[in-house]
Amino acid sequence: QVQLVESGGGLVQAGGSLRLSCAASGVTFSSYSKGWFRQAPGKEREFVAAISWSSGRTEYADSVKGRFTISGDNAKNTVYLQMNSLEPEDTAVYYCAASRYGARLSRAYYDYWGQGIQVTVSS
């Protein structure tokens, strides 16, 4: 019933920008905290950013703080991840997720996941 669909990924040069979108259906997205995670080849899925449904508080991984911004548009049932100053180390499959809890850093708190979208940053 619940579906999260990411879009906006692709190939970009180092220093460039991308904006990922995650559109939700089958759920009132505003009632959930939203998170972005990423997984590079051979690595575990890691936390990137999250936003609380109740307070709007945001959390960011140290590796992306100051470069990435998470935001939501409740009217469009969509959450965004604006990625600036991209680095090759940002290359990964990016996943959006929804949680009944706050802006959590652990994957265990998230109930729904998108299919993932590739972001590749070339040097």
Side-chain angles (χ1 to χ4, degrees):
Q1 185 68 35
V2 176
Q3 185 175 357
L4 308 180
V5 180
E6 301 98 335
S7 62
L11 175 65
V12 66
Q13 293 286 333
S17 298
L18 286 173
R19 189 179 73 163
L20 303 183
S21 299
C22 177
S25 62
V27 62
T28 301
F29 217 7
S30 61
S31 299
Y32 291 79
S33 298
K34 278 77 72 173
W36 287 95
F37 293 77
R38 66 188 183 186
Q39 187 167 18
K43 296 185 178 295
E44 297 293 321
R45 192 171 300 184
E46 66 176 357
F47 171 78
V48 176
I51 183 168
S52 170
W53 73 268
S54 58
S55 67
R57 177 178 61 87
T58 58
E59 297 282 351
Y60 296 94
D62 289 341
S63 59
V64 307
K65 192 170 185 178
R67 300 188 296 121
F68 291 11
T69 303
I70 187 171
S71 63
D73 186 335
N74 291 337
K76 295 182 178 180
N77 226 27
T78 300
V79 65
Y80 304 97
L81 184 68
Q82 178 67 46
M83 305 184 294
N84 298 326
S85 301
L86 284 162
E87 305 167 351
E89 292 74 21
D90 297 315
T91 295
V93 175
Y94 283 71
Y95 300 86
C96 69
S99 172
R100 291 171 291 175
Y101 304 93
R104 307 286 185 166
L105 279 65
S106 172
R107 300 192 308 272
Y109 290 94
Y110 290 85
D111 303 291
Y112 307 110
W113 293 84
Q115 80 285 353
I117 190 165
Q118 179 70 45
V119 171
T120 302
V121 184
S122 62
S123 60

